[in-house]
Amino acid sequence: MRIDFSQVTPIYIQIADAIEDDILLGKLKEGEKCYSQVVLAKELNINPATAAKGIRLLVERGVLEKVRGQAMTVKVGAMKEIKERKVEEILGEIIERLVDEATKLGIGEDALVERVKEAVKRKSES
Amino acid sequence: MNEYAMEAENVTVQYVKGKRVKALDEFSLKLHKEQLIGLIGANGSGKTTFFKVCSGAIAATTGKISVLDEKVNFNLAMQEELAFCNPELPIKGNLPVRKVLELYAGMYPHFDVAFANKLLDLFGVSGKKRIQELSLGNRAITYFIFTLATRAKVTLLDEPFNGIDFEKRKLAYEVLLRDYIENPRTILISSHNLAELKPILSEMVLIHEGKVIFYEEMDTIREMLFRADGDKEQAEAFLNREEIITVNSGELGTYFIGRGSVNGEFAKEVKKAGMKISAVEPEDVCVYLTSKRKESELECLWK
């Protein structure tokens, strides 16, 4: 896990996003324990309050839950939750930016769609 | 029991009576317990004076100050729970590092001798060397180590890493954070290098001309201001808004700094007008909220 301190995204959001990536990659599994606040603070060299805030954000997002006084656990169904949110927020944002850039460059709708299709095709072939 | 580690109420410090200049000017602040707090301000803003008043090294001209619910002056029980690291106020004389360690251990009941020795080893400071023989950086590190090892409930660090090279400074930040995690307590640290310090902080105080500008959580500070970049025409539509702090215009474009978060209402409005919005980091927030300097002044230098 790597936090980029020069990035404008607040550190706690970067932590939440990085934990979600670890869940998507299967490093953290549904129903199993998540990294603790202290481990995150120690290994990333960040204030524990910031680490706690990242964890809290994931509870709000419905990705983590506290099971009967135990450590934070990855919720069953977290993977689906993360994917849905990412499609909504992140993909939406990237597409908006893509359309912005394309408009600036004078690339029309058809040409843009064509390029996206090509990129998808290349990805599936590789 | 109180929820604050330190309370200052309308504290004013005047070094020279009758002079208008006040090192602290009706300064009020209540520090939360068990936080790692940054004290940020330009040279001469009153940081060191505040530390000195907190630790009882100097008395306030007017106002009240208490640490852990106790008045600061003439209170030995409280002094045991308060450690102050300031390279200017070292122990007198030229004792070997090991002797200074013994003095600290005698003054502070929770002083961890083994921890202090391990840290001296880690930073490569020999216990046999006399304090004055140490390089500036190693002397600073030594006082930092001893202050940390006191495990005092309130620990004041005044520019503890001045003159320390980058590698050791990085290590020192790590040691400070780890020790705070293992032994939570109130730590107030001043620094001119907020960019380096900010990841380990939970809260920050900005002071300017002897007054508190704000005391906030780090993430709140990142949402105080935003920057908008665009061309002159786009910017001009907003320049009468009171949220704007500063405007800069050049051949390459115009940008302004506005109050509010990058996701706030004002930023959204500006974005709709076609300007690029970006976040302002805490170290720049501090400059924008306290600086009176204008870009035009800089240009004058070469005219």
Side-chain angles (χ1 to χ4, degrees), chain B residues 3-6 30-35 37 186 203 215:
Chain B
E3 61 187 301
Y4 300 110
M6 192 284 311
K30 291 176 177 180
L31 293 181
H32 301 129
K33 273 190 181 155
E34 297 193 355
Q35 300 290 331
I37 309 160
T186 307
E203 303 177 329
Y215 171 34

Side-chain angles (χ1 to χ4, degrees), chain B residues 89-237:
Chain B
L89 291 174
I91 285 176
K92 295 255 179 332
N94 189 16
L95 296 169
V97 169
R98 195 176 288 144
K99 281 278 174 214
V100 179
L101 188 152
E102 281 169 22
L103 286 176
Y104 266 86
M107 283 190 288
Y108 290 96
H110 312 300
F111 191 89
D112 190 333
V113 175
F115 181 64
N117 277 318
K118 275 189 268 181
L119 283 181
L120 288 174
D121 276 351
L122 180 70
F123 284 97
V125 178
S126 156
K128 286 181 204 146
K129 274 218 169 150
R130 286 175 185 275
I131 285 286
Q132 316 255 357
E133 289 168 359
L134 296 175
S135 67
L136 199 67
N138 276 350
R139 205 179 307 160
I141 275 291
T142 304
Y143 282 117
F144 165 70
I145 289 170
F146 291 162
T147 310
L148 204 61
T150 64
R151 298 274 162 71
K153 279 194 187 122
V154 176
T155 300
L156 310 173
L157 302 166
D158 188 7
E159 297 279 354
F161 307 141
N162 265 4
I164 298 176
D165 66 55
F166 181 63
E167 188 190 345
K168 281 191 180 159
R169 217 157 63 228
K170 250 180 102 174
L171 187 61
Y173 291 128
E174 234 179 295
V175 166
L176 176 61
L177 176 69
R178 281 295 292 270
D179 197 54
Y180 164 73
I181 294 171
E182 304 291 338
N183 303 284
R185 58 206 196 269
T186 307
I187 299 174
L188 186 65
I189 174 171
S190 72
S191 170
H192 283 301
N193 206 335
L194 182 56
E196 278 181 16
L197 186 65
K198 66 186 174 184
I200 69 167
L201 298 177
S202 52
E203 303 177 329
M204 198 197 100
V205 185
L206 174 66
I207 71 173
H208 182 58
E209 293 177 346
K211 286 181 187 296
V212 176
I213 305 293
F214 63 70
Y215 171 34
E216 294 285 355
E217 283 181 23
M218 293 311 286
D219 288 316
T220 309
I221 298 162
R222 288 168 146 265
E223 295 185 349
M224 282 183 169
L225 305 178
F226 70 87
R227 173 175 161 148
D229 278 85
D231 52 45
K232 214 169 173 191
E233 292 70 39
Q234 288 171 325
E236 259 161 12

Side-chain angles (χ1 to χ4, degrees), chain A residues 6-117:
Chain A
S6 62
Q7 223 186 300
V8 287
T9 312
I11 296 167
Y12 76 97
I13 295 179
Q14 288 191 49
I15 291 169
D17 291 344
I19 293 174
E20 285 188 343
D21 282 345
D22 279 2
I23 295 170
L24 288 180
L25 290 170
K27 276 177 76 180
L28 288 169
K29 293 188 174 58
E30 291 185 3
E32 287 180 10
K33 263 199 307 192
C34 176
Y35 315 120
S36 76
Q37 173 195 355
V38 170
V39 165
L40 288 167
K42 279 182 187 171
E43 292 194 17
L44 299 172
N45 273 316
I46 53 162
N47 190 283
T50 311
K53 214 168 162 184
I55 291 173
R56 266 206 308 281
L57 180 60
L58 288 181
V59 174
E60 279 166 29
R61 284 181 184 171
V63 172
L64 298 182
E65 65 182 343
K66 199 161 189 168
V67 184
R68 276 175 282 113
Q70 282 177 7
M72 279 292 170
T73 308
V74 181
K75 231 173 166 174
V76 174
M79 190 89 109
K80 192 167 157 270
E81 192 73 39
I82 295 167
K83 280 184 184 161
E84 279 174 8
R85 193 190 62 81
K86 287 209 172 197
V87 168
E88 273 307 309
E89 282 180 28
I90 298 176
L91 212 56
E93 194 184 300
I94 293 172
I95 289 172
E96 214 168 281
R97 249 180 31 225
L98 181 69
V99 173
D100 272 357
E101 286 295 326
T103 312
K104 223 188 284 173
L105 295 170
I107 295 171
E109 186 184 329
D110 292 341
L112 183 63
V113 171
E114 198 48 49
R115 291 189 76 103
V116 172
K117 277 185 180 163

